[in-house]
Amino acid sequence: MTKADIVAAIYEKVGISKTESSDVVESVFEILKETLEKSEKVKISGFGTFMVKEKNSRKGRNPQTGDGITITARNVLTFKPSQVLKKRMNEGSENSA
Amino acid sequence: MTKSELINRVAERLPYLTRKDAEIIVNTIFDSMVDALVDGDRIEIRGFGSFKVKNRGDREGRNPKTGETVRIPAKRMPFFKIGKELYERINQGTPSAAALQEGGEGL
């Protein structure tokens, strides 16, 4: 699934043009990006939570050459799926309870 | 930010939408993403990131209280990988931003 599939779903459900549907989807993801850029957490009930975490620099190794290197400090984004999503993805299996 | 705050911001940014429209739009986006993951499909949102379904096989675990060995059944889990644009945007001002400027992979 890509953005185009989401745009098509919006176009079918909401009475707006294809161009508007595409703009709307862009805007939603842009708002999400702006929010995460400010290190603000995003919690979408029924889907999951996106959170920016700060990582300190640490020593690592180039797996190909074995050379020791320093991995620079950086921010990473974590996604924690909601219980509802995990449950729906496992419906019908023995673990669905 | 919660989903309802997201809906408010979408409605503010796009004045031609009613709040009701914005609500339907945001719900449709996440509902269709949930459906894709339930079907085991991969989702790719350029500039934001991608989601992939991974199957985790049966494994043995231990009840931490009793020390008893228990079988943890196989399950499907969604995994998110951040897109390049968003990675760069959350890393402005960090040392890793400089590495990206030098053409490093960064991910």
Side-chain angles (χ1 to χ4, degrees), chain B residues 39-94:
Chain B
D39 290 343
D41 285 348
R42 189 185 127 87
I43 303 171
E44 186 174 341
I45 310 292
R46 195 162 281 268
F48 185 78
S50 59
F51 297 85
K52 200 161 105 176
V53 178
K54 284 189 188 169
N55 294 300
R56 201 163 64 183
D58 275 29
R59 62 201 171 95
E60 289 208 334
R62 215 172 267 280
N63 179 329
K65 269 194 191 128
T66 63
E68 226 178 319
T69 303
V70 290
R71 202 178 124 264
I72 301 170
K75 59 175 135 183
R76 297 199 301 164
M77 289 282 292
F79 282 88
F80 175 72
K81 184 172 184 269
I82 191 168
K84 191 165 182 279
E85 183 205 335
L86 183 54
Y87 182 84
E88 289 174 0
R89 286 175 64 173
I90 67 168
N91 275 288
Q92 288 163 43
T94 69

Side-chain angles (χ1 to χ4, degrees), chain A residues 10-89:
Chain A
I10 302 283
Y11 176 70
E12 278 172 34
K13 265 226 167 108
V14 189
I16 54 176
S17 72
K18 278 185 181 163
T19 313
E20 283 168 336
S21 302
S22 170
D23 289 348
V24 158
V25 173
E26 285 299 334
S27 294
V28 172
F29 285 104
E30 179 54 31
I31 291 167
L32 293 174
K33 286 185 273 191
E34 285 168 10
T35 306
L36 294 165
E37 199 174 350
K38 289 183 280 184
S39 291
E40 193 188 324
K41 174 167 119 174
V42 175
K43 186 175 177 177
I44 307 294
S45 66
F47 188 72
T49 304
F50 295 94
M51 220 163 68
V52 175
K53 285 192 179 161
E54 288 180 21
K55 294 276 189 188
N56 289 322
S57 71
R58 62 192 166 92
K59 293 222 158 64
R61 214 166 265 288
N62 179 331
Q64 251 150 44
T65 63
D67 293 346
I69 48 168
T70 303
I71 297 168
T72 54
R74 66 192 58 207
N75 295 330
V76 297
L77 183 59
T78 59
F79 171 68
K80 189 172 181 282
S82 79
Q83 289 299 328
V84 178
L85 175 59
K86 284 198 273 185
K87 200 170 166 180
R88 283 210 50 203
M89 288 178 69

